[in-house]
Amino acid sequence: MLILISNDDGVHAPGLAALASAATALGDVYVVAPATEQSARSHGLTMHDPLRVRPLGDQRYSVTGTPADSVYLALNHLLPRAPDLVLSGINRGSNLGSDVHYSGTVAAAREAALNNIPALAVSLSPRSRDESRYHYDVAAEVAVEVARNLAADPPPHGIFLNLNVPDLPREQILGIRPAPLCERMYAPLVQEGRDPRNRPYYWIGGPARGFGGGDHTDGALVERGFATLSPMRLDPTAYEEMARLWQWFPNG
């Protein structure tokens, strides 16, 4: 089995190294990932600047672009054939609820799914600021367990998976729980500053305020100690609203 691994934390991130190492138990691993951190770049593609690819040896490449760029280049140019599986991560931080709309980690998996390749995004939900103590090895072990099932029983076209693992020793993780996405809430924040030439600049993005949606959703379950697995669709159409729009435009 040929496996492609990408991420949004950059090709040298420890989470990617842990996932790539664990994935060798599944097959032949290629790594194609951004040269630098691309967190919260969502599904952006670089259309107006050249991309540069740097071979790093041993089936590893860095790309001067986004996670979606990396997967696109891998599928259409760098790999010897289409991979059987794409794994993205392990992200430094969770991707729960509305995070999936911004996440480059999720976008790399989505890009694979757009090409009809089974795909899994993997994120670690930290409980401290000391990354040297993060349990990336545990998250990689859980990801490989999920990936084995994904390869053996892939979902239909248009579906990919989002895995969040709490930052805990393996024996403290309560299980892998299928779960819908929560409502992830953040405080709105725009912080203005002045550069040395007295021109304004801004930082955006406030701290997390918690989760909504119920105890059965991914955010609440990860906080309790479960790893959560959420199926996601490529098609975002709200079909239940089509009847309302036909009422607006009955002769359309």
Side-chain angles (χ1 to χ4, degrees):
M1 183 162 60
L2 194 155
I3 302 153
L4 170 63
I5 294 182
S6 193
N7 73 346
D8 75 0
D9 289 328
V11 71
H12 300 296
L16 182 141
L19 184 58
S21 176
T24 59
L26 301 173
D28 192 21
V29 172
Y30 278 74
V31 171
V32 183
T36 58
E37 182 169 347
Q38 299 289 312
S39 296
R41 292 301 180 94
S42 188
H43 208 110
L45 290 174
T46 302
M47 307 296 290
H48 304 290
D49 292 293
L51 294 170
R52 302 191 186 277
V53 176
R54 182 183 177 190
L56 300 176
D58 194 26
Q59 302 181 170
R60 296 177 70 245
Y61 301 87
S62 70
V63 176
T64 58
T66 66
D69 289 331
S70 300
V71 173
Y72 187 98
L73 275 167
L75 300 185
N76 295 291
H77 185 70
L78 296 174
L79 268 59
R81 64 174 179 85
D84 301 291
L85 193 65
V86 173
L87 307 179
S88 179
I90 300 166
N91 192 62
R92 183 191 300 112
S94 60
N95 277 301
L96 300 161
S98 58
D99 292 344
V100 302
H101 300 292
Y102 304 101
S103 168
T105 302
V106 172
R110 187 187 296 112
E111 181 65 25
L114 284 166
N115 288 272
N116 204 24
I117 298 168
L120 171 69
V122 186
S123 301
L124 182 70
S125 184
R127 302 193 172 198
S128 77
R129 294 183 178 272
D130 184 0
E131 188 175 4
S132 68
R133 301 173 66 90
Y134 287 3
H135 294 83
Y136 284 120
D137 57 334
V138 175
E141 179 184 338
V142 174
V144 166
E145 183 177 350
V146 173
R148 287 187 191 279
N149 286 276
L150 178 59
D153 184 21
H157 175 63
I159 303 294
F160 63 104
L161 303 180
N162 185 44
L163 173 67
N164 283 277
V165 183
D167 184 29
L168 295 169
R170 185 66 176 92
E171 65 273 11
Q172 294 182 27
I173 294 177
L174 301 180
I176 301 172
R177 180 73 63 87
L181 300 178
C182 68
E183 298 172 12
R184 190 80 191 264
M185 295 173 285
Y186 291 91
L189 175 67
V190 177
Q191 184 172 343
E192 181 177 350
R194 294 276 169 172
D195 69 16
R197 290 180 171 83
N198 201 35
R199 296 173 300 192
Y201 64 85
Y202 303 91
W203 288 101
I204 65 171
R209 278 184 166 172
F211 306 109
D215 293 341
H216 65 296
T217 59
D218 59 353
L221 288 167
V222 166
E223 283 199 329
R224 285 165 52 194
F226 287 95
T228 60
L229 189 61
S230 302
M232 297 178 58
R233 293 186 181 276
L234 296 178
D235 181 2
T237 306
Y239 289 99
E240 68 278 9
E241 287 298 306
M242 292 295 290
R244 182 195 308 274
L245 303 190
W246 277 111
Q247 289 176 0
W248 292 1
F249 300 102
N251 299 318

